[in-house]
Amino acid sequence: MVKISTDTVDHIAKLAKIPVSEKEKEELAVGFNKTLEVIDELFKVDVSGVEPTHQITGLENILREDKIDERKTITQDQALSNTKKKHNGYFVVDQILAED
Amino acid sequence: MKLNELTLKSAINLLDKKEISLKDVYSDVFQKINEKNKELNIYLAIDKKAEAEAEKQKNQPLRGLPIAVKDNFLTVGLPTTASSKLLDGFMPPYESAVTKKIKEAGGVVIGKTNMDAWAHGSSTETSDYGPTKNPRNPDYLPGGSSGGSAAAIASDMAIAAIGSETAGSIRQPAAWCGTVGLKPTYGRVSRYGAIAMGSSLDSPGPITKTVEDSALILNQIAGRDENDGTTSPLPVIDYTKNLKKGVKGMKVGICYIDHPKIKDTEAAKSIEKAGKFFETMGASVELITTSHNLEKNKVLSHEHAISVYTVVQRAEVSSNLARYDGIRFANDRSYFGHEAKNRIMLGIFGMSKDISREELVYVYAQKVRSLYIKNFKELFSNYDILISPVSPSFALPLGATSGDAMFGELQDMLVEPSSLAGICGISVPNYKDEKTGLYLGLNIMGDYFQEEKILQAAYAFEQGTKWNPWIK
């Protein structure tokens, strides 16, 4: 099993969009490596010819009509009621495209 | 007797006979909350107007009685945080399926209970709002993640409670607090509006004072829900109807107690005694050998389940917690605590190619999971119920989780195989240490959708032994 370095932790933190401090990176790396030792136990089990589990109680293709159900909708005010940043009835998001 | 100490069943009976009033029940419950909630840190939010609502519900099945609800169920009018500061102050715009059903049946959500943040833990010590203390002995942990709900019952701060289990999070705190915890079959109870953790595992269920109360609550919350495609179309039966049928003729298998780390523990001894009890009640009881590989008539070791669970749960966590972007609601992702960061990031790592051999570790884990399902299906073709300890130990002291990335998995290892398979299980008190006041739990597992059978066995055990403190 590979060892996780603080650089890898840094990379994963970026993918997860989670800010982590230098101290945290070190702590997380220690925890990750301990957890990976546990995960390593998996490979002692013979799974040749075994299908992976997809749905444990065997349900298949539970579908619904592609229609709006008014009972399940919430109003614009309700939708905006928990946001910290709104403007003219919209959510405010960070800019992702900018001119150089 | 204080009325907050009543079981759900006895409260309903006494209300119907007009021997007690709802007003007096609420008065005693609130008195207990005022006395003890600060010290034990059980409720994060309390509905002070609960009693007024209760009066309107007094003719409904749950008679307006106060129900404690874990803080990962969305409740309109009460803040919902999953014990994370990320969701501090979040007011849900819609109601979870479970609390909707509880309310429609005349239950009143008296408050929201503390838990491990995002349900990531087995101690309630990782809550961003501080640990809950075990009411049986406040120097000890209540277990978790539904530790607040189990503690609310153990301290008689509610008549019944709702928790949720992903792997052990109902049964383990129920065991450590000396209460009854039922983890229904995956898909028996809707997950709609429950803050998602491991979507292929999450199972809401009751934490109660008695087995009968557990059946009464399950009657109200079970069933198909069009908002949760994984709920089963199988009809819901009245779980109280055959509750007193007993275990005569049942075939009982004892699991995991031959394992070197479990053998000779108090937990193992108490399960042997439980086996003897079932025998005297007319069941045939056998010890099932634990095996490291899938073998006929042997139980697959719980040890692999820890690895499978660690991979699957963290992968699902990383996906489920991706929605917390801080845009539409709640605080931004810097508010995730250490454990959530740990699990999200491990989940991402586990689904990346980095630790694969020939295939993704996630797929490998789901194959081992298939072995557990196959194992249980085969065992249940031979046995009616399987029993084991819930946890290898009594409740651990406050502070026991610190610095241990695998704490939860080790406490939950004996219930993880059944959670991964999605079968049902119930924990009932089966031993009390007189010195510490702490309890052990008996885990009774049943095949898919065989809640009726495990409730029957649990009821027989509870009535025939001295361990349930509410059965006089």
Side-chain angles (χ1 to χ4, degrees):
Chain A
M1 184 65 72
V2 287
K3 277 266 172 200
I4 298 190
S5 64
T6 49
D7 284 349
T8 313
V9 173
D10 196 46
H11 174 66
I12 304 169
K14 284 198 181 100
L15 292 176
K17 209 170 182 289
I18 291 176
V20 285
S21 65
E22 287 303 317
K23 186 170 168 270
E24 254 181 323
K25 269 179 221 169
E26 280 167 31
E27 285 167 3
L28 285 164
V30 172
F32 283 6
N33 284 312
K34 199 175 166 196
T35 308
L36 287 183
E37 281 171 28
V38 174
I39 293 174
D40 223 12
E41 290 292 309
L42 264 186
F43 303 105
K44 293 182 183 165
V45 187
D46 179 12
V47 292
S48 43
V50 180
E51 279 293 307
T53 295
H54 298 293
Q55 210 284 330
I56 48 177
T57 53
L59 293 175
E60 276 180 46
N61 298 336
I62 307 295
L63 306 171
R64 64 165 173 81
E65 287 295 308
D66 189 15
K67 276 188 192 156
I68 293 170
D69 181 346
E70 297 290 341
R71 291 170 303 152
K72 291 184 205 164
T73 59
I74 56 173
T75 65
Q76 189 173 6
D77 282 344
Q78 282 173 319
L80 289 161
S81 63
N82 278 291
T83 187
K84 294 200 184 332
K85 287 182 280 181
K86 59 185 166 185
H87 180 73
N88 286 346
Y90 289 93
F91 295 111
V92 176
V93 299
D94 290 338
Q95 186 176 19
I96 51 165
L97 294 171
E99 284 181 52
D100 286 330
Chain B
M1 185 192 191
K2 292 275 192 185
L3 301 184
N4 56 313
E5 293 167 19
L6 290 172
T7 66
L8 177 59
K9 178 70 184 173
S10 55
I12 291 171
N13 282 345
L14 293 172
L15 284 168
D16 289 354
K17 287 193 229 157
K18 305 211 179 332
E19 287 178 25
I20 60 167
S21 71
L22 265 179
K23 189 170 179 284
D24 293 338
V25 173
Y26 275 87
S27 164
D28 285 353
V29 168
F30 275 117
Q31 194 191 345
K32 188 76 188 189
I33 291 172
N34 292 335
E35 273 170 24
K36 284 280 183 184
N37 193 47
K38 218 173 190 171
E39 181 202 342
L40 300 174
N41 196 28
I42 290 171
Y43 285 110
L44 299 178
I46 292 165
D47 183 1
K48 295 209 168 78
K49 289 182 237 148
E51 192 199 322
E53 179 58 30
E55 289 296 334
K56 296 181 219 158
Q57 304 294 338
K58 59 183 178 192
N59 296 320
Q60 298 297 321
L62 298 177
R63 306 291 194 277
L65 288 162
I67 313 290
V69 174
K70 189 179 182 180
D71 201 31
N72 59 347
F73 291 90
L74 303 187
T75 45
V76 173
L78 278 177
T80 300
T81 67
S83 286
S84 169
K85 288 264 166 85
L86 189 141
L87 282 171
D88 205 30
F90 173 66
M91 294 299 284
Y94 68 97
E95 191 78 27
S96 79
V98 167
T99 49
K100 188 164 181 262
K101 285 182 168 191
I102 287 287
K103 288 175 177 180
E104 281 169 0
V108 174
V109 178
I110 188 169
K112 304 296 288 293
T113 58
N114 200 15
M115 54 189 276
D116 286 289
W118 305 103
H120 297 170
S122 308
S123 63
T124 312
E125 200 165 39
T126 67
S127 164
D128 286 353
Y129 300 96
T132 292
K133 294 174 181 171
N134 191 322
R136 305 292 182 195
N137 186 332
D139 293 333
Y140 288 82
L141 296 168
S145 64
S146 311
S149 287
I153 294 308
S155 62
D156 293 300
M157 282 192 207
I159 300 297
I162 297 292
S164 68
E165 172 157 331
T166 306
S169 277
I170 286 175
R171 286 175 284 175
Q172 184 255 18
W176 280 12
C177 289
T179 63
V180 176
L182 171 68
K183 175 227 171 297
T185 306
Y186 176 81
R188 182 71 297 185
V189 178
S190 171
R191 295 174 293 117
Y192 181 69
I195 292 174
M197 200 250 258
S199 299
S200 75
L201 298 144
D202 294 345
S203 308
I207 296 179
T208 54
K209 297 175 184 179
T210 66
V211 174
E212 190 166 21
D213 288 1
S214 189
L216 285 168
I217 296 287
L218 186 63
N219 275 355
Q220 300 304 334
I221 63 174
R224 169 99 181 99
D225 175 14
E226 59 174 12
N227 292 325
D228 176 358
T230 62
T231 48
S232 171
L234 286 176
V236 176
I237 58 168
D238 176 0
Y239 294 99
T240 62
K241 199 177 162 210
N242 293 316
L243 192 64
K244 299 170 186 176
K245 207 174 146 198
V247 294
K248 198 165 181 216
M250 270 198 201
K251 201 164 171 198
V252 181
I254 305 179
C255 300
Y256 309 129
I257 63 168
D258 60 338
H259 188 275
K261 282 182 196 158
I262 312 291
K263 215 164 68 176
D264 304 326
T265 61
E266 204 61 66
K269 284 181 209 157
S270 71
I271 298 308
E272 276 176 40
K273 282 185 194 149
K276 290 211 175 82
F277 169 81
F278 284 125
E279 220 161 43
T280 60
M281 299 301 281
S284 67
V285 183
E286 285 173 15
L287 177 69
I288 305 176
T289 313
T290 306
S291 165
H292 275 274
N293 293 302
L294 189 64
E295 286 180 74
K296 235 180 153 38
N297 291 322
K298 290 186 182 174
V299 64
L300 187 56
S301 170
H302 53 274
E303 285 175 318
H304 312 307
I306 302 173
S307 316
V308 176
Y309 180 72
T310 302
V311 173
V312 172
Q313 185 264 2
R314 280 149 183 79
E316 293 181 7
V317 160
S318 72
S319 167
N320 277 323
L321 268 54
R323 77 189 59 168
Y324 299 99
D325 53 18
I327 295 170
R328 292 155 300 155
F329 56 92
N331 294 311
D332 65 55
R333 293 172 77 77
S334 68
Y335 282 78
F336 278 127
H338 181 79
E339 191 56 30
K341 287 181 184 177
N342 183 37
R343 292 191 187 207
I344 292 168
M345 290 166 66
L346 264 169
I348 290 170
F349 189 67
M351 289 190 292
S352 70
K353 285 215 178 291
D354 292 358
I355 48 170
S356 68
R357 303 195 160 195
E358 279 159 16
E359 62 187 340
L360 290 179
V361 67
Y362 179 77
V363 176
Y364 202 102
Q366 292 285 35
K367 286 184 178 177
V368 181
R369 188 180 190 180
S370 298
L371 296 181
Y372 279 103
I373 293 173
K374 203 174 165 200
N375 184 225
F376 278 119
K377 279 188 174 159
E378 190 231 294
L379 287 172
F380 283 119
S381 69
N382 196 12
Y383 297 95
D384 290 287
I385 55 167
L386 301 174
I387 63 172
S388 81
V390 171
S391 171
S393 69
F394 288 97
L396 296 177
L398 291 168
T401 57
S402 74
D404 187 350
M406 293 303 293
F407 175 85
E409 277 58 38
L410 296 173
Q411 298 316 312
D412 290 330
M413 62 184 179
L414 301 176
V415 286
E416 277 178 351
S418 53
S419 289
L420 284 169
I423 58 174
C424 57
I426 187 167
S427 168
V428 287
N430 78 328
Y431 186 74
K432 183 187 179 188
D433 184 305
E434 288 302 335
K435 228 197 254 160
T436 59
L438 297 171
Y439 285 82
L440 290 172
L442 163 67
N443 175 34
I444 304 174
M445 298 174 279
D447 202 355
Y448 296 94
F449 304 105
Q450 293 299 312
E451 280 81 1
E452 185 178 48
K453 215 181 254 185
I454 60 171
L455 284 161
Q456 281 166 2
Y459 183 84
F461 186 81
E462 180 182 85
Q463 296 296 318
T465 60
K466 61 178 180 180
W467 304 115
N468 185 311
W470 289 278
I471 306 281
K472 300 280 180 331

